[in-house]
Amino acid sequence: MFENPEVAIDELPGTDDLGWQTLHPLYARRIRVQALIVLGIIVVAISAVNFLPHIPLLPIVVLYVLWSITAMVSLLWPGLSVPRRGYVLRDKDIVFRKGVIWQSVTAVPFNRIQHVETSNTPLDRRFGLATLQLFTAGGSGGDLKIDGLGKDIAERLRVFILDKAGASIENA
Amino acid sequence: MKTPDPGTWRRTSPFAILFFIGRILRLIAKNAWQSLAPLFALLVAYQGDLVSKLTLGGIAFGVVIATASLLSYWFFRYRISDDAILIRQGVIKKKQLDIKFDRIQGISTQQNPVYRALGLVTVNFDTAGSAGNEGNLPAVTRALADSLRARIGKNRIPADGAGSEAGVRAAALLRLDWRDMVRIGLADRRALIVFAVIGPLLERLGDDAERIIANYVERAADGAFQFGMAGGITIIIAVIVSVLLVLALISVGAAFLRFHNFELWLDGSTLRSQGGLLTRHEHSMDLGKIQTLRLQQGIVQRWQRRFRMTARQALASGKQRSGKVFMIPVVTAELADRLRARFLQPEAGRLTQDPRSDQFTAVSPYYMRSRILFIGLLPAVLVTVAFRESFGAAALFVMLWLPLVSAAAYRSWRRAGFAHDDDEIVRRSGLLGYRTVGLLFRKVQRVTVTQSRYQRRKGLASLRMHMASGSVRVPYIEHETAKRLRDYILYKVESSRQAWH
């Protein structure tokens, strides 16, 4: 039976007062640990250059200063950016927000999802984290990617979304 | 005994050899020329008469190519079964290719002059999810191509009686004549690229011209012959004008080659076009597969009051960068609107894509601010500061960059705009020319609303609609409008029961 009820624009569900789900509490720490590893490698490289003969002092000092600024920013930034990230799972779509300076809210309807992927790096595994990626048609790497989910939550989301996406195909 | 499929294994017309020769030559040009080059060098270096050696080599090469294409032709066989087309090919390495009819998205055909004289065509099959064409049927009869097309049409649109019978074609929606060819040729941007390529050559020519002029001037001084500077400038201008003229001619010639006798028509729910002087190109696109419709107008086209219309299909998965594009090289705004109404009916098509229409809502003027600030002011100040020491006050000339950027920002703000109804949205943009993109809400894949710090303060946002063919952005609109549109798009997508592709 085909139904086509009238819809009042003002009564469409909005996304203003959604209960945003936050990411895993260890996610910020994971980003910092990764940053520390990279920073460590860089500082080793700088000091190695430092020990070479005939290197003027000034560029090395500049490098160290740049390094400490980068270190400060990359260790403090997750404290700002991670709380801003969040997602909401709804009946027909998933909404994801992120950004400190440029804030964005992306919504992906389940009936447009082509496939779903979870992945984790060795570092992720140490913290029990995983990444969920949703692929829609024509996406050029810009598909929705949610980092820093708990491993079990990512898996549950994957199964749930896959189920929803599959159901929408059967109904179509 | 069971009756086999109606089709039996068949060979194509012997003229398919032409196709195979072309294919082998292309293959050599692409892959094997590195290995052939040393052979050629050896031939030249070896003692003996050069001419006879080259003749011999040429004959040998010709024989090899001819044999190879003859064998390719001999081993190329095809069969049309109930639900698929089967192709067997390959001389040493056998290849089997079965293409199911319901996987074929469309058929395009090509006709070179020889084939046209004989009523033959080369058929290419477009299949979903593959990069480029998968299969070719060289040198088959037009009737076979038409019957294949009818078969695929039947598979794609069951119970839709509108699918035309083979050979009977609906009335053309658009026909281009020689005036349109001239328009296409003049508006082609590639002419400029040609100009850039032969630019250095032109410079050489300029040098020569200079020498000639200097000669003249000298002689004029010697023999009290009144020639002077004016004559020299005339020559330079004449050279430039004639070069431009030649370029325009080449460009118009290319347009004739590509689009001569261009015709556009609807075959059931499939859009088709045909055109070309020597090789007839035929293209098709299913109306239901159109993701976005674009109307573009460059500077030259603005003066011509014409547009270029393109319909884009979803990008194939994988590495392929650009999706399939169906192009109508030149239309008027009125015709474009009539066409889009035909393409999108019955669900949409009521909006116009004519950029001059007054239906468009302007975006916020704050749109200009970030451009002027980050593209204009910031670089200008930095460069001025950087060059202050070496150039002094002259560095302030860099500041002239600022009014330029401001003017550009103002123009692109004036051109930015959007219009929508219940089913579709049209976005307008442009700097020198115009571009409008139209799309159906229900075909959106995902939506993003983005706000910068500054936009948050002003209650503005940018809306980006990701389509299967790329994304369309509406910048600097009211945050409330953006959110309302986003929620409405989600509603349209999630309540849609139709396929988006």
Side-chain angles (χ1 to χ4, degrees):
Chain A
M1 179 73 180
F2 179 69
E3 281 180 54
N4 196 5
E6 208 171 290
V7 175
I9 298 292
D10 293 334
E11 284 165 24
L12 285 176
T15 46
D16 273 347
D17 27 60
L18 290 172
W20 292 99
Q21 301 286 312
T22 51
L23 301 174
H24 198 277
L26 288 178
Y27 180 47
R29 195 183 294 173
R30 199 223 77 160
I31 300 176
R32 289 194 182 111
V33 168
Q34 190 171 353
L36 277 177
I37 294 171
V38 175
L39 286 167
I41 293 169
I42 293 172
V43 85
V44 165
I46 296 176
S47 30
V49 172
N50 201 1
F51 279 114
L52 290 175
H54 312 303
I55 297 287
L57 191 64
L58 189 69
I60 296 292
V61 172
V62 170
L63 278 181
Y64 274 121
V65 169
L66 280 178
W67 180 86
S68 11
I69 293 170
T70 317
M72 218 142 73
V73 171
S74 55
L75 292 181
L76 288 178
W77 192 250
L80 287 173
S81 69
V82 171
R84 282 282 325 153
R85 290 173 172 235
Y87 65 91
V88 186
L89 198 64
R90 303 198 293 182
D91 186 41
K92 288 186 163 49
D93 50 36
I94 182 166
V95 188
F96 179 65
R97 69 165 184 189
K98 67 170 185 188
V100 178
I101 295 168
W102 281 277
Q103 298 181 347
S104 74
V105 178
T106 300
V108 185
F110 293 140
N111 58 353
R112 292 289 176 270
I113 287 174
Q114 304 257 322
H115 68 279
V116 190
E117 197 179 287
T118 54
S119 59
N120 48 25
T121 61
L123 198 61
D124 278 334
R125 283 197 289 278
R126 275 202 85 77
F127 287 95
L129 299 174
T131 299
L132 179 76
Q133 256 179 297
L134 306 178
F135 293 88
T136 55
S140 43
D143 301 279
L144 190 60
K145 185 174 171 185
I146 307 180
D147 272 320
L149 291 164
K151 211 176 151 209
D152 49 332
I153 292 180
E155 189 53 33
R156 257 155 53 203
L157 280 175
R158 189 181 69 87
V159 172
F160 177 81
I161 292 170
L162 214 56
D163 199 42
K164 286 281 189 185
S168 72
I169 288 168
E170 274 158 33
N171 287 337
Chain B
M1 215 177 117
K2 267 199 291 184
T3 45
D5 290 325
T8 47
W9 288 107
R10 272 187 287 183
R11 285 202 180 86
T12 60
S13 151
F15 288 97
I17 292 171
L18 279 179
F19 171 85
F20 289 113
I21 289 176
R23 192 153 84 173
I24 290 168
L25 286 180
R26 238 173 297 149
L27 220 76
I28 289 173
K30 226 189 264 171
N31 306 313
W33 64 270
Q34 296 104 320
S35 42
L36 281 179
L39 223 75
F40 182 74
L42 205 74
L43 199 72
V44 172
Y46 203 70
Q47 52 196 183
D49 178 26
L50 185 66
V51 176
S52 63
K53 270 192 302 182
L54 278 185
T55 327
L56 227 77
I59 290 170
F61 185 71
V63 166
V64 168
I65 298 278
T67 320
S69 27
L70 205 72
L71 283 172
S72 303
Y73 157 72
W74 189 254
F75 285 101
F76 186 98
R77 284 188 287 178
Y78 70 97
R79 193 174 80 172
I80 295 159
S81 79
D82 285 341
D83 60 342
I85 170 144
L86 304 99
I87 295 172
R88 300 284 174 271
Q89 57 181 326
V91 181
I92 296 161
K93 197 170 130 197
K94 302 277 177 200
K95 265 207 290 199
Q96 283 110 31
L97 182 63
D98 299 355
I99 312 172
K100 294 251 184 238
F101 280 129
D102 53 5
R103 264 195 64 217
I104 299 176
Q105 305 237 330
I107 282 182
S108 58
T109 60
Q110 269 179 26
Q111 229 178 359
N112 63 32
V114 177
Y115 284 6
R116 184 131 34 112
L118 297 159
L120 298 172
V121 291
T122 291
V123 178
N124 304 314
F125 300 102
D126 305 326
T127 49
S130 69
N133 306 314
E134 261 189 1
N136 292 302
L137 272 189
V140 295
T141 57
R142 178 108 236 160
L144 182 80
D146 284 335
S147 76
L148 279 175
R149 189 167 280 148
R151 281 290 297 275
I152 287 152
K154 238 175 266 163
N155 258 324
R156 293 215 63 85
I157 28 161
D160 184 359
S164 70
E165 290 303 306
V168 182
R169 185 199 284 189
L173 298 171
L174 170 69
R175 266 199 190 92
L176 300 183
D177 59 16
W178 63 272
R179 276 168 303 209
D180 295 311
M181 297 304 125
V182 174
R183 288 192 184 107
I184 297 167
L186 291 181
D188 198 341
R189 274 183 216 160
R190 275 171 301 183
L192 286 176
I193 297 171
V194 174
F195 196 74
V197 170
I198 64 167
L201 272 171
L202 223 67
E203 221 162 83
R204 286 275 296 279
L205 211 79
D207 286 350
D208 289 341
E210 216 167 279
R211 198 147 19 87
I212 293 165
I213 293 160
N215 253 339
Y216 267 118
V217 173
E218 240 167 73
R219 247 191 285 161
D222 279 354
F225 170 51
Q226 291 300 314
F227 193 80
M229 230 17 233
I233 290 169
T234 316
I235 292 176
I236 291 176
I237 290 175
V239 166
I240 291 173
V241 166
S242 51
V243 165
L244 283 178
L245 219 70
V246 167
L247 279 181
L249 272 176
I250 292 173
S251 194
V252 170
F256 266 104
L257 269 182
R258 181 71 189 74
F259 294 114
H260 180 66
N261 270 338
F262 181 91
E263 268 188 319
L264 176 82
W265 73 99
L266 263 176
D267 177 7
S269 66
T270 307
L271 189 60
R272 295 193 185 289
S273 75
Q274 199 183 50
L277 187 64
L278 295 176
T279 302
R280 299 282 286 171
H281 298 270
E282 210 174 300
H283 293 280
S284 65
M285 185 177 277
D286 228 60
L287 288 184
K289 294 199 181 300
I290 295 176
Q291 299 290 321
T292 52
L293 277 174
R294 251 162 231 262
L295 215 56
Q296 269 170 294
Q297 191 178 47
I299 310 172
V300 179
Q301 281 165 318
R302 247 188 101 192
W303 161 71
Q304 296 170 346
R305 299 170 168 281
R306 291 296 189 281
F307 293 86
R308 196 165 78 140
M309 192 175 190
T310 46
R312 267 150 224 265
Q313 214 172 281
L315 301 170
S317 56
K319 286 175 228 102
Q320 207 185 0
R321 264 296 145 97
S322 56
K324 204 178 146 195
V325 177
F326 188 94
M327 182 171 56
I328 305 166
V330 52
V331 286
T332 59
E334 295 72 34
L335 183 65
D337 279 340
R338 274 212 304 283
L339 287 176
R340 81 188 300 279
R342 273 296 281 281
F343 297 168
L344 298 175
Q345 71 178 1
E347 57 177 321
R350 292 170 291 275
L351 294 179
T352 165
Q353 272 187 237
D354 182 358
R356 286 163 306 172
S357 115
D358 51 9
Q359 71 174 4
F360 290 99
T361 312
V363 304
S364 160
Y366 289 116
Y367 173 72
M368 290 180 278
R369 177 187 164 276
S370 64
R371 281 160 185 251
I372 294 174
L373 220 61
F374 293 111
I375 305 173
L377 194 62
L378 200 67
V381 168
L382 283 179
V383 171
T384 310
V385 169
F387 287 107
R388 193 193 39 189
E389 289 200 353
S390 37
F391 290 103
L396 277 175
F397 269 109
V398 178
M399 280 301 182
L400 286 178
W401 172 245
L402 198 57
L404 208 73
V405 170
S406 307
Y410 177 73
R411 277 189 82 123
S412 64
W413 168 67
R414 290 279 299 173
R415 276 159 169 61
F418 69 103
H420 72 92
D421 64 7
D422 289 352
D423 295 292
E424 55 176 331
I425 185 165
V426 175
R427 188 213 55 191
R428 182 179 68 181
S429 62
L431 177 61
L432 297 173
Y434 274 109
R435 187 185 303 142
T436 56
V437 185
L439 59 93
L440 289 178
F441 283 139
R442 69 168 178 85
K443 293 199 174 186
V444 169
Q445 300 285 325
R446 57 184 197 277
V447 253
T448 304
V449 175
T450 313
Q451 281 186 298
S452 68
R453 263 176 74 84
Y454 184 71
Q455 284 178 321
R456 271 200 299 287
R457 225 177 305 146
K458 301 290 177 194
L460 300 169
S462 298
L463 176 78
R464 192 184 277 278
M465 293 161 283
H466 296 267
M467 309 296 294
S469 60
S471 70
V472 176
R473 181 165 162 266
V474 186
Y476 282 82
I477 54 177
E478 298 279 323
H479 190 206
E480 284 309 313
T481 314
K483 281 196 292 186
R484 220 177 48 241
L485 268 170
R486 191 243 340 253
D487 294 339
Y488 183 69
I489 291 169
L490 287 176
Y491 156 71
K492 280 303 258 191
V493 172
E494 287 159 11
S495 63
S496 165
R497 285 260 173 272
Q498 281 164 282
W500 59 266
H501 45 77

